[in-house]
Structures are given as C-alpha cells and as structure tokens.
C-alpha cells in the first residue's frame, strides 16, 4: 500500500477552528507569558523573547484552554490561563535545554538561542522559565494541577535522557521508541489537557478523558513529525528534513526500514547509525529505503491509529464546538503531513 | 587591622552540634533522597548518585530540618523531611547546571559529572532532579512551601545569569556583587529555613525569623567562601584556591583590592580580569594584592556582620538546643575560614 493512498483515505484535520474559538483566552495567555518572562536581569527577557516571539502554534497551552472549555467552563478562567502559560514555559524551557543537548542550529525557523547567547545562558534561562512555571501554578492554588505538571516534567527529562542514551543505535526496539516519544512529547500534551480540566474543576470523567486525548494526540503528533523528517508523503524535501538522520537519531521510519531491509542493507545502517559515519548522499539513500519499504506509510498508519484513539477519548465529554475542534485537531496532527 | 586578629576576636562556631541533633531526621532525609533519585533510565541514578554520594554537609536540608525543630515541632515531621529532600534536589540540580555553565573540572572533590557522562546528561538529570523536587513538595500538600521554593528557584537562576553576564569585569559594583550572592546562594538558605518552618506549621514570627536567619547565614557563607578562594587567612594555599581568579570571576576580595590599588595596578587588573589574560603567576600577584590591601580581612569582617545578623534573627524563637545549634552554625559559616 502506498503512503499517499493511506493518508487520502483519512479525514483532513484542521487546527484553525480551535485557534478561532480560543482567541480571547489565548490573548490572555500570551499577555501573561510576556509579563512573567520579564526579569531585571537583561539577558533573560531577551533570550526568552527570542523563542516566545518566534511563536509556533502554542499548541500545548491551547490544549490547556480547550480542555477547560470543553469540560464546560464558561466566563473567565483564571486558573486555566495561568496553567496554560506555565505549560508553555515548561515547553520553552525544554526546547532551550534540548537545543543545547542536541547542539541544534535552528529552532522555530530562527537561529537557536544558544548560538546567540551561549549554551550557559540557554541552560540558566531554561531553569528560570521552569521555576516561573511553578510560581504561576502556585498562584492557581490547585495542588493537583501542580502534581500533574511536576510529574510530567520529571517524565519528560527521563524521556530525553532515554533518547540521548538509547536512540542512537539500531538495537532500539519499537517498544522503547514508543516509551521515548510518550515521555518526551506526549506526556506534556496529556498533562496540559489534564491540568486544564483540573483547573476548570471538571468532573473526574472529563479529566481522564482529556488526559487520554492529550496522550494519544501527542503520540500521533510525534509519529507524524518523525515521518515528516523523511519528507512525509512528498517526494520534494521541505526545509529541516533529514535532521533526525543527520543526528543519527533512530525513529520509527528508520527502525522499520532497517528491519525490512535486514540481510540486505545491514552494512549501510551499521555504518550510518551505529558507527555514525554519514554523508549527505547517505540521507538520500536512507530516504529511498524508508520510502521503498513503506516505512513512512506504516509510521503514518500508526499515527492515524493514535489520532483515532484521541478522537474516541473525547466521547465522555458533552457535545460542543470545543469538542468538535479538538476532534479536528486530532486529525490535523497527522493530515498536516502532506 | 590584620585578618588573623579580626577572626580571632570572634567566636569559634561549629556545625557538629546541629549535625548531632539532626541525626535521626537527616537519616530520613537521606533515605528519601536515595529513593526519589531512582529512575528506570539507568544513567539518571548513576549520575545523581555521583553527586549525592559525594555528600558534603547537606547544609541546606539540615537548615530545613533545624527550622522545623527550632520552631517547636516534636515527633515525626513528614512534611519538613520531604521539603528537606526537595531542597537538596534543587541544590544538586543547580550544581549540575553550574558545572556545565562554568565548565568546572571538580565538584565535591570528585571529577565533575559532565566530564564523565557529558554535558547533555548533566543538563537533563538536573532537570529531572528539579522536577522531582516539585513532586516531593506536592506530596506535603503545603502550597506556601511550594511557593517559597518555586520563587527561590527563579531567583537562583536570575542570580546565576547575573553572575554570568556581570561578574567578569571590574565595573561590577559592590551592590551588584551582593545582589548576585544573595540570589545565587543566600536565597536557597533562606527558602530552606522558611520552608522548614512552614512545613512544621510554625507561627508567622518564627517563619520570618528563620527566613531572615537563612538569608544572613547564606550571605556570611558565600562571603567566607569568596575569602577562602584566596586562601582565607592562611598563607598556605589549600586545594581549590584560586578558582574564582582563574575563571575571571569578580568577588568582593578582588573588588576591594582593585579599588584599593586604583591608579597603581589598573593595568594588571585590566589585563587579568577585563581582558582575561591570566597566568599562574598572576594569581600569586593577585593574592599578594588582595592580602596586602586587607581585602580578605575586610571581606571576612562583612561576613561576620552577616553572621551576627543571623544570630540576632533567631531572637523571636524559644530557647532550645536547636536554636543554640543554629547560633553555633552562624559562627561556623565564617570561623571555618582558618
């Protein structure tokens, strides 16, 4: 089965309905983010603003807001707004540290902060934002939300260490790969949604439903990202494709391709991944193998399975525009891979 | 006035009375530290244990325990024990990150963790311990203690950034120097003591007294450490002396010496600090100037002032062996500089 056929048989998702619904709440989140990243120490707001201004979709705080609204909150939602800003701070802190850890050159289309202000400042400003996240959470006076995001933070760093120590050799098994992406990516999606529901004093069924939604959505997103790094379904390579291969990072597309070419291409994978000897031509070859074996299509199939699970997780919630928008977002997590 | 005379006119402090009093409580803290630094990701407990096993006096969690007991807690003190472990995790996380930031070779007499496991693992395990600290705090169900330690954490990272960006040129003024050491060192001493009192449900006067004690103690400690880096009062150089000068870090002894030799040694200071051109002979020369101008003695005088303030801060507390032991500790902060 060809990857394009698979994807075309699925729904076209969209993030815009959710962005539109959350516009007012997200303006409050953005204002709070800018307010709380200030410091009398000049490099801190400069560095933080470099990432924050670069934006991105603010998907994680958007989930916190959507979870609060989808579980029935009306009127002002002070606690979820603060929790959403805290979630974005935790995410930004992990990006700053990740870029140092991976020696990345780019982030959100801009030069990575550590290349401008140095790795030491990136490490310390990450710590600052992480601490500010907890200060914001304390203000909500919701110990349960604090516990959710504290645990998420320790799980994320465990996932990052696991990736650092295990994701650069072909002995990585699919189970460990899933453990890594669940910890380093999906856990924060899950915690962001769960904390939003808790911040809105939602009932337990809604809290659990939104946590499950976030976890499945996060897995779908990361799997789709990992497919996208090999160009997704497109024959044309977009910007930033090939980063994982260049770093020798083993993800599902590569894992499947290596398994499906066992006995035939072992020397190629051993040299490029285990021994870390890679050229630009090697990426082209890897990509041919990843596509030729249907590994990208299979990765996207798995991503769609999680997107379906994410949609299904929402069943306990009352029908609403917010729930519909979250369903569209689940599909978007995968259908954005063009 | 000569430095030796100054110190001899002061009280000889001791940390041992406090260590003895806190023995049972600290055994509980140690057990909790070992339990909570575990992870299924193998490098995490290995790296954490490298620092934790190296020990040190565990002064900060000791303060948390002492604050709880000195404000009247008897019997089991579950919350302060958890807060004490959290304080040590925060401290260990900052040490891990500091060593990456400063590219330090040694920590607690052992090879720095980042030289064994790499800077990326040190950054991520620091993040893990920081998150675990907040998980422990959540278990105490004391939002106020969480707020105290969250704020302390953001203040510490601000202090570290301030030091990184300001403490390597001679334009540093004494006020900024004090701001840096208050933030990067004394704030955690203050928060450790304050959180211990809050964890023991102490009355407000005791909470404030213990916070003030911790702040003054932390300032005394750091000033004494900065004097110690130039050999303290001893003509003999101990191990690790000269680290600050070698890193071009401007501390009070150097600041005073530069001011007191203005017009005479400007070229020397400009070359070694502002331009960063330093040899081993330069450290000897700097040390002669620091001693010859009485800058070490003046730094220790300032440290004694804060030790006196720390003792005085304890006045609102009831008399007890614990209060006496905290008084001895305040003197020890400076009298340990032999």
């Amino acid at each position: 089965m060809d990857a394009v056929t698979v994807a075309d048989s699925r729904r076209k998702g969209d993030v815009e309905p959710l962005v539109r619904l959350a516009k007012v709440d997200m303006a409050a989140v953005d204002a709070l983010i800018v307010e709380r990243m200030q410091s009398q120490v000049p490099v801190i707001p400069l560095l933080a603003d470099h990432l924050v201004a670069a934006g991105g979709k603010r998907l994680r705080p958007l989930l916190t807001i959507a979870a609060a609204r989808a579980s029935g909150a009306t009127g002002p939602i002070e606690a979820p707004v603060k929790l959403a800003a805290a979630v974005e701070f935790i995410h930004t802190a992990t990006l700053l540290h990740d870029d140092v850890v991976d020696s990345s050159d780019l982030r959100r289309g801009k030069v990575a902060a550590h290349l401008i202000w140095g790795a030491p400042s990136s490490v310390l400003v990450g710590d600052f934002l992480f601490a500010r996240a907890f200060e914001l959470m304390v203000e909500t006076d919701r110990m349960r939300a604090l516990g959710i995001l504290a645990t998420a933070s320790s799980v994320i760093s465990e996932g990052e260490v696991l990736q650092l120590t295990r994701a650069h050799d072909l002995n990585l098994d699919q189970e460990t790969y899933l453990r890594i992406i669940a910890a380093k990516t999906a856990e924060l999606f899950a915690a962001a949604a769960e904390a939003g529901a808790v911040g809105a004093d939602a009932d337990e069924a809604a809290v659990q439903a939104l946590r499950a939604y976030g976890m499945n959505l996060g897995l779908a997103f990361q799997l789709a990202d990992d497919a996208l790094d090999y160009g997704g379904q497109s024959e044309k390579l977009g910007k930033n494709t090939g980063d994982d291969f260049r770093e020798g990072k083993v993800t599902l597309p590569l894992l499947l391709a290596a398994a499906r070419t066992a006995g035939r291409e072992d020397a190629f994978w051993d040299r490029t991944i285990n021994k870390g000897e890679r050229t630009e031509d090697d990426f082209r070859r890897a990509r041919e193998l990843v596509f030729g074996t249907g590994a990208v299509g299979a990765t996207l199939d798995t991503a769609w399975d999680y997107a379906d699970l994410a949609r299904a997780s929402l069943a306990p919630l009352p029908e609403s525009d917010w729930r519909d928008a979250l369903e569209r977002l689940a599909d978007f997590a995968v259908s954005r891979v063009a």
Side-chain angles (χ1 to χ4, degrees), chain A:
Chain A
M1 192 178 352
D2 143 347
V4 177
T5 314
V6 173
D8 282 355
S9 70
R10 309 288 185 136
R11 293 167 300 267
K12 181 98 188 117
D14 198 349
V15 64
E16 289 309 320
L18 190 56
V19 169
R20 275 195 298 276
L21 279 171
K23 198 168 179 196
V24 173
D25 290 332
M26 285 302 289
V29 173
D30 286 347
L32 194 57
I33 285 173
V34 171
E35 181 192 319
R36 298 305 175 91
M37 73 188 197
Q38 297 311 313
S39 164
Q40 294 203 304
V41 181
V43 77
I44 293 178
L46 271 178
L47 198 155
D49 186 55
H50 179 75
L51 261 96
V52 167
K57 280 182 225 47
R58 296 226 205 290
L59 215 46
R60 292 156 190 82
L62 192 58
L63 266 185
T64 304
I65 294 299
R69 294 296 185 195
S71 47
T74 53
I77 43 168
E78 199 193 334
V81 165
K82 286 186 171 171
L83 294 170
V87 163
E88 185 66 5
F89 277 174
I90 291 173
H91 179 56
T92 308
T94 64
L95 295 185
L96 281 170
H97 287 185
D98 279 4
D99 286 346
V100 170
V101 164
D102 292 341
S103 305
S104 306
D105 298 336
L106 285 172
R107 171 62 70 183
R108 289 177 173 166
K110 297 173 77 170
V111 176
H114 68 100
L115 296 178
I116 302 175
W117 290 278
S121 289
S122 280
V123 170
L124 297 173
V125 175
D127 291 349
F128 173 79
L129 293 175
F130 196 54
R132 277 282 159 99
F134 280 90
E135 290 187 87
L136 274 164
M137 289 182 241
V138 167
E139 290 177 26
T140 68
D141 202 24
R142 275 170 173 82
M143 194 59 89
R144 186 173 171 191
L146 261 153
I148 290 163
L149 288 164
T151 297
S153 300
S154 73
V155 169
I156 290 166
S157 46
E158 279 182 305
E160 301 278 1
V161 176
L162 193 61
Q163 174 170 277
L164 189 68
T165 51
R166 295 290 310 280
H168 296 80
D169 73 87
L170 285 165
N171 288 325
L172 184 73
D173 54 294
Q174 279 199 45
E175 192 198 321
T176 307
Y177 164 81
L178 282 172
R179 241 177 92 200
I180 290 172
I181 67 169
K184 74 161 191 163
T185 304
E187 177 70 24
L188 190 56
F189 279 73
E194 187 184 5
V198 165
D201 304 314
D203 63 41
E204 194 54 32
V207 171
Q208 293 310 325
L210 285 156
R211 174 170 178 88
Y213 170 82
M215 178 58 71
N216 289 312
L217 178 73
L219 290 168
F221 246 99
Q222 187 61 55
L223 283 157
D225 258 0
D226 290 348
L228 210 46
D229 204 67
Y230 286 91
Q233 299 158 351
S234 153
E235 286 301 310
K236 276 198 306 190
L237 285 179
K239 58 179 176 180
N240 299 335
T241 44
D243 284 351
D244 290 339
F245 183 80
R246 274 179 214 106
E247 290 175 18
K249 198 181 278 178
V250 176
T251 60
L252 190 57
L254 189 144
L255 211 59
L256 293 173
R260 290 172 182 190
T261 56
R264 188 156 61 81
E265 298 287 348
D266 294 348
F268 173 75
W269 298 117
D270 185 56
R271 173 175 62 80
T272 55
I273 303 300
N274 293 343
K275 297 210 172 62
E277 298 161 8
R278 290 177 295 272
T279 67
E280 269 309 293
D281 278 346
D282 287 331
F283 174 56
R284 272 181 261 279
R285 174 91 186 115
R287 199 160 166 271
E288 280 167 22
L289 294 172
V290 163
F291 271 85
T293 56
V296 164
T299 299
L300 289 172
D301 281 349
T302 310
W304 276 117
D305 290 344
Y306 285 110
D308 289 343
L309 284 172
R311 289 176 71 106
S313 306
L314 297 171
L317 298 177
E319 277 190 43
S320 72
D321 289 348
W322 289 92
R323 197 184 83 172
D324 292 346
L326 285 171
E327 289 180 358
R328 301 285 311 270
L329 176 63
D331 294 333
F332 172 76
V334 196
S335 74
R336 75 198 158 101
V337 180

